[in-house]
Amino acid sequence: MSRMSSLFSLVLFVFSESFAQYVPPYTEECRTNMYPPAGPTYKSTVAWYTIDLDTPPYKRWNQLLSDKKAELAMLNQVIKDLANAFVPSGKLVDLVDKKLPSLIETFPSPFHDELKGIADVSGVPLGEVLLFNIFYEVFTVCTSVVAEDSAGKLFHARNMDFGLFLGWDVKNHTWVVTEYLRPLVVNLDFQKGNKTVFKSTSFAGYVGMLTGVKPGVFSVTMNERFSLDGGYIGIIEWIIGRRDGMWMSFLMRSVLENATSYDDAKNQLATTKLLAPAYFILGGNKSGQGCVITRSRTTSLDIWEIDAKQSQWYVLETNYDRWKDPFFLDDRRTPAMKCLNQTTQAKISLEKIYDVLSTKPVLNKLTVYTTLMEASEGKLESYIRDCPNPCMPW
Ligand SMILES: *[C@@H]1O[C@H](CO)[C@@H](O)[C@H](O)[C@H]1NC(C)=O
Ligand SMILES: *[C@@H]1O[C@H](CO)[C@@H](O)[C@H](O)[C@H]1NC(C)=O
Ligand SMILES: *[C@@H]1O[C@H](CO)[C@@H](O)[C@H](O)[C@H]1NC(C)=O
Ligand SMILES: *[C@@H]1O[C@H](CO)[C@@H](O)[C@H](O)[C@H]1NC(C)=O
Ligand SMILES: *[C@@H]1O[C@H](CO)[C@@H](O)[C@H](O)[C@H]1NC(C)=O
């Protein structure tokens, strides 16, 4: 408990520091020459694991989870501590352990068998495994970008910012969950018949997808969208039994596994009924194929497409509708666009996008990893990030 902050101290911190988002050292000139990754904002590369889709779902995560058991147990303990700090009787964790497991049966194949396999290999109770699979759906504040160069080549990249409000460590000025999440980041190569179907940057123990590429076809990322008719309502409805919407990251996984073209992926992401609103950012393998799909639970509200002829050579999404201003304490959009504009279409590349994603506050205390993708070449590379003090909490 002592290393966790009370909500009060977080609020104090927010008031003392977040108005500083627009002044150095919390913001900075656009970074250059950050690639290849090195220095204090780069922690490490990410290990690769193969997930064999020809193996039964219950077994396919065995290798990964037996390697990451200890790290998963630590994150799980931190989440339980947070829950117990929130509801001190321990009743919340009790509820998770007793009630959530039965809900796993309602998940479509292959998810329920995969989750059971993960629980059994890791020794983490099934309800708790399910809980942090839900967690990723609601605490991701990110930056995603798809850009087209002058030759019509498409680049797709994202910062994964995760752990907002999940325990502010007053002493270290870090988010507790974010810190424990970094060791769980893995690159996954999903194969069938020993051939890659898609690749993803993910977290050990998680069966949905938030970032991925289907070589030669498309790349896709998901960002959280806050809304009044938001995720929490859909999730509560799901728990009490109304289950006609799909989890967003399960849809992502299913699209990466089974969609056959950019248009097929776009159509599925735009029309499938969801549990919560979301932004899907999709890149293709040829000129003009890049878009941000703004989703409500039931429908697509807006599809913003790259149109290089109209000098719209990139699309960028943080966590706000593009037709609205970002929340004034959380504007990562303007600095990221400023840096992309400075770079220009003639000079854009994955290396230059890495520079943009390394510029504060686009890079912030929540940033867990940066992934760079290129669908036409089937490329996916990712880096664990850090944002040493002074740095914005988000
Ligand atoms: C906080 O920082 C100290 C010193 O760098 C380190 O030993 C400790 O593990 C950190 N705490 C957490 C929760 O990360
Ligand atoms: C994949 O490769 C392994 C060994 O390299 C082989 O044993 C296995 O049969 C192959 N699987 C398929 C589906 O081709
Ligand atoms: C993809 O399609 C196959 C074959 O229809 C199905 O067995 C599998 O469950 C699907 N994958 C996902 C993640 O929905
Ligand atoms: C792009 O993807 C389509 C399938 O959507 C495929 O037919 C085509 O060969 C791909 N082009 C390249 C350059 O990989
Ligand atoms: C970036 O350029 C676009 C297109 O010219 C423009 O609409 C936008 O306002 C610029 N944004 C920033 C932050 O410079």
Side-chain angles (χ1 to χ4, degrees):
M1 215 15 241
S2 60
R3 65 193 163 81
M4 311 271 176
S5 77
S6 64
L7 188 59
F8 180 67
S9 57
L10 174 64
V11 167
L12 268 187
F13 179 85
V14 166
F15 273 89
S16 61
E17 299 200 24
S18 64
F19 287 101
Q21 192 181 8
Y22 306 102
V23 280
Y26 294 96
T27 186
E28 56 189 1
E29 291 300 309
C30 299
R31 290 266 182 170
T32 54
N33 299 317
M34 295 295 286
Y35 193 95
T41 66
Y42 161 68
K43 275 197 130 161
S44 63
T45 53
V46 176
W48 280 93
Y49 282 83
T50 298
I51 304 296
D52 184 0
L53 294 168
D54 296 320
T55 304
Y58 178 81
K59 284 201 177 146
R60 56 176 71 136
W61 298 94
N62 275 11
Q63 181 63 52
L64 172 60
L65 267 299
S66 45
D67 284 6
K68 292 286 184 181
K69 222 181 198 165
E71 290 86 347
L72 189 63
M74 272 158 76
L75 174 68
N76 193 47
Q77 190 55 50
V78 165
I79 294 175
K80 278 205 278 193
D81 289 349
L82 282 170
N84 286 333
F86 193 60
V87 182
S89 61
K91 284 220 171 79
L92 202 56
V93 173
D94 214 42
L95 199 70
V96 166
D97 286 341
K98 296 218 173 86
K99 296 284 186 231
L100 283 187
S102 63
L103 296 181
I104 283 194
E105 299 302 332
T106 69
F107 280 146
S109 171
F111 299 110
H112 56 97
D113 284 349
E114 292 189 5
L115 290 165
K116 278 185 195 153
I118 287 169
D120 288 349
V121 173
S122 67
V124 173
L126 189 53
E128 294 169 27
V129 168
L130 178 59
L131 183 68
F132 65 66
N133 271 270
I134 295 176
F135 256 45
Y136 295 118
E137 304 261 343
V138 290
F139 292 104
T140 47
V141 287
C142 312
T143 303
S144 292
V145 55
V146 179
E148 177 172 331
D149 74 7
S150 309
K153 207 171 190 190
L154 285 146
F155 306 109
H156 189 162
R158 76 122 87 237
N159 271 1
M160 165 59 70
D161 300 349
F162 184 86
L164 185 60
F165 301 134
L166 295 179
W168 180 250
D169 183 324
V170 200
K171 263 221 315 275
N172 290 10
H173 285 191
T174 52
W175 294 99
V176 178
V177 169
T178 310
E179 297 302 303
Y180 282 89
L181 200 54
R182 288 198 180 94
L184 289 169
V185 177
V186 284
N187 284 331
L188 303 175
D189 184 344
F190 286 80
Q191 299 191 350
K192 237 183 212 157
N194 288 339
K195 279 220 199 77
T196 298
V197 178
F198 69 98
K199 299 179 195 170
S200 172
T201 308
S202 193
F203 303 111
Y206 186 49
V207 299
M209 294 295 133
L210 300 167
T211 306
V213 62
K214 186 150 189 157
V217 192
F218 62 83
S219 52
V220 64
T221 54
M222 188 192 101
N223 289 11
E224 183 178 351
R225 177 169 179 260
F226 307 100
S227 147
L228 278 183
D229 178 29
Y232 309 101
I233 298 175
I235 290 164
I236 290 164
E237 281 183 2
W238 177 81
I239 289 172
I240 63 184
R242 207 184 127 193
R243 310 221 165 85
D244 52 346
M246 196 165 177
W247 291 95
M248 295 74 72
S249 65
F250 287 8
L251 174 61
M252 289 270 292
R253 160 90 183 266
S254 150
V255 162
L256 279 162
E257 214 170 297
N258 290 330
T260 53
S261 67
Y262 173 84
D263 290 326
D264 183 15
K266 186 167 151 188
N267 184 47
Q268 289 191 43
L269 294 169
T271 59
T272 306
K273 198 165 178 222
L274 298 175
L275 270 185
Y279 301 101
F280 295 116
I281 302 90
L282 185 66
N285 68 6
K286 62 167 195 259
S287 174
Q289 290 186 334
C291 66
V292 175
I293 303 168
T294 301
R295 281 294 313 262
S296 73
R297 292 202 279 159
T298 50
T299 182
S300 152
L301 301 177
D302 178 63
I303 299 182
W304 180 27
E305 315 219 31
I306 283 186
D307 187 353
K309 287 190 198 78
Q310 302 297 318
S311 72
Q312 185 71 59
W313 56 273
Y314 68 83
V315 288
L316 177 130
E317 181 55 55
T318 59
N319 302 93
Y320 303 95
D321 297 344
R322 70 173 171 119
W323 57 91
K324 290 184 189 151
D325 286 334
F327 180 48
F328 75 109
L329 291 178
D330 177 33
D331 186 7
R332 287 162 285 125
R333 183 207 286 169
T334 309
M337 284 190 165
K338 187 182 110 193
C339 296
L340 283 167
N341 286 1
Q342 266 180 32
T343 306
T344 72
Q345 184 184 18
K347 295 226 181 79
I348 200 70
S349 64
L350 282 180
E351 290 82 350
K352 294 283 198 269
I353 297 177
Y354 186 84
D355 287 340
V356 175
L357 294 176
S358 302
T359 302
K360 295 191 285 189
V362 183
L363 182 79
N364 57 69
K365 286 284 181 193
L366 289 169
T367 308
V368 177
Y369 66 75
T370 298
T371 293
L372 308 174
M373 298 184 285
E374 204 181 315
S376 59
E377 291 179 13
K379 184 194 254 181
L380 179 146
E381 50 184 68
S382 56
Y383 303 96
I384 310 283
R385 305 306 301 268
D386 195 14
C387 190
N389 294 325
C391 176
M392 279 294 288
W394 55 77

